[in-house]
Amino acid sequence: MSETRDATPLAGCRIGVPESRQLDLFADMLERRGAEVLRCPLVDIRDTPDTPHVEQWLDDVVEQGLDDMIWLTGEGLRRLRGFCERAGGDRMAQFAQRLGEARTITRGPKPVRELRALQLRSDVPATQPTTDGVIEALQAIDLVGHRVGVQLYGTDPNEKLMAFLADKQAVALPVAPYVYADEAEEPQVADFIDRIVGGTLDAVAFTSSPQVKRLYKVARASGRADALTQAMQSLCVAAVGPLVAERLQSQGIEVTLMPESNYFMKPLVRSLVTHFAGAGAS
């Protein structure tokens, strides 16, 4: 392989990137490695419109504290920080203090990174970055009577986790600080599906499960869900982590590649480079 090819290992690869937040960051990493990137902002993330509930939850946490706090996403902590900062005064400092007093449970590396920005750490990491991993990590821990904060994933009520906490006789205190907005750029989503079905892409790289849900929602509305699945089966389908892979598999799509342990964009880019470098050498 020449030095030019080494510097741009994805040269000639056409990769679809269905991302919204951090779309340009991910796309730029691929383009610097020579890929031709088709951007499609499938999902937008916004603060929940139920602001009073979040404010009441924060009031309760600041006033009464928590025994345990379960973080399911890094986005959730970022959004709650935003609510605190907009409240002004010493609300952020009070919230951070209460978090520091609680035992912290994290699902995956992203909330750990956000906690680190507050000089906090994860006390109980999930055994895998899923709800089942959180439950497994808490199985042997006594939670009777504990006030347990639960930051929900979007608007998903996570009934499985809530039922587990009820069985453990904990007092669950859920909060949903953000929502996914489905109306993001409908014509671009339809065009993205056209490009996949038309066979003009070599790979599609998914970084969140709502992206898959949104893509298939639009495809079903136009009667192209089966065609989309068939076309995806002939592409390199990359998933940033297990949750995304499970969502794709539920649509009948086998994931071609996924980072082995660190479920971030950079390891995903490295996996794509390794995949296509290997394909080029064969």
Side-chain angles (χ1 to χ4, degrees):
M1 186 177 291
S2 68
E3 289 186 7
T4 301
R5 180 64 181 174
D6 285 340
T8 56
L10 295 177
C13 297
R14 298 158 299 177
I15 302 175
V17 178
E19 177 62 46
S20 182
R21 183 179 61 81
Q22 296 183 315
L23 181 150
D24 287 336
L25 176 62
F26 186 34
D28 288 348
M29 283 193 286
L30 294 170
E31 288 173 337
R32 287 199 303 270
R33 290 160 177 80
E36 176 186 341
V37 175
L38 175 65
R39 294 164 164 84
C40 180
L42 272 174
V43 179
D44 193 15
I45 304 175
R46 303 175 185 174
D47 284 340
T48 177
D50 191 3
T51 299
H53 172 72
V54 176
E55 292 175 343
Q56 290 167 12
W57 186 88
L58 288 168
D59 286 343
D60 182 45
V61 169
V62 168
E63 290 169 9
Q64 300 190 51
L66 295 167
D67 297 297
D68 303 274
M69 180 67 211
I70 299 173
W71 296 105
L72 296 182
T73 68
E75 185 69 35
L77 180 50
R78 277 193 298 274
R79 294 284 163 171
L80 288 171
R81 286 181 65 182
F83 276 97
C84 288
E85 289 163 1
R86 287 189 294 275
D90 56 359
R91 173 49 62 93
M92 187 63 236
Q94 293 171 336
F95 182 50
Q97 180 179 342
R98 287 303 198 183
L99 294 182
E101 294 167 353
R103 176 169 46 197
T104 302
I105 301 95
T106 50
R107 187 200 70 169
K110 292 182 180 179
V112 173
R113 183 173 58 190
E114 295 301 323
L115 286 165
R116 195 176 297 128
L118 294 175
Q119 297 185 324
L120 299 173
R121 60 185 177 83
S122 173
D123 300 304
V124 182
T127 58
Q128 55 181 323
T130 61
T131 292
D132 286 341
V134 171
I135 290 172
E136 184 176 355
L138 290 173
Q139 282 286 2
I141 295 177
D142 181 10
L143 296 175
V144 175
H146 281 215
R147 286 169 50 84
V148 182
V150 183
Q151 174 261 307
L152 296 174
Y153 184 85
T155 55
D156 181 359
N158 205 324
E159 294 176 355
K160 187 172 188 177
L161 181 55
M162 293 298 107
F164 167 78
L165 293 173
D167 288 342
K168 297 283 282 186
Q169 300 179 52
V171 179
L173 303 168
V175 62
Y178 64 92
V179 297
Y180 291 103
D182 270 349
E183 62 269 21
E185 289 91 350
E186 187 88 21
Q188 290 189 43
V189 178
D191 179 67
F192 192 67
I193 293 170
D194 288 341
R195 295 286 297 271
I196 295 173
V197 173
T200 63
L201 296 177
D202 300 302
V204 182
F206 292 95
T207 57
S208 75
S209 55
Q211 294 168 356
V212 184
K213 181 179 179 181
R214 172 67 169 156
L215 187 65
Y216 270 89
K217 181 178 179 180
V218 175
R220 282 192 295 271
S222 59
R224 293 185 293 171
D226 290 343
L228 177 62
T229 298
Q230 184 175 356
M232 294 270 276
Q233 289 170 343
S234 63
L235 293 177
C236 169
V237 178
V240 75
L243 290 176
V244 183
E246 288 173 10
R247 173 68 75 171
L248 287 162
Q249 289 163 359
S250 74
Q251 297 292 342
I253 300 169
E254 287 301 317
V255 172
T256 311
L257 60 90
M258 182 180 75
E260 291 185 4
S261 56
N262 295 318
Y263 306 125
F264 296 109
M265 286 186 291
K266 284 184 179 179
L268 181 60
V269 171
R270 286 196 293 269
S271 295
L272 283 162
V273 168
T274 298
H275 173 81
F276 283 105
S282 61

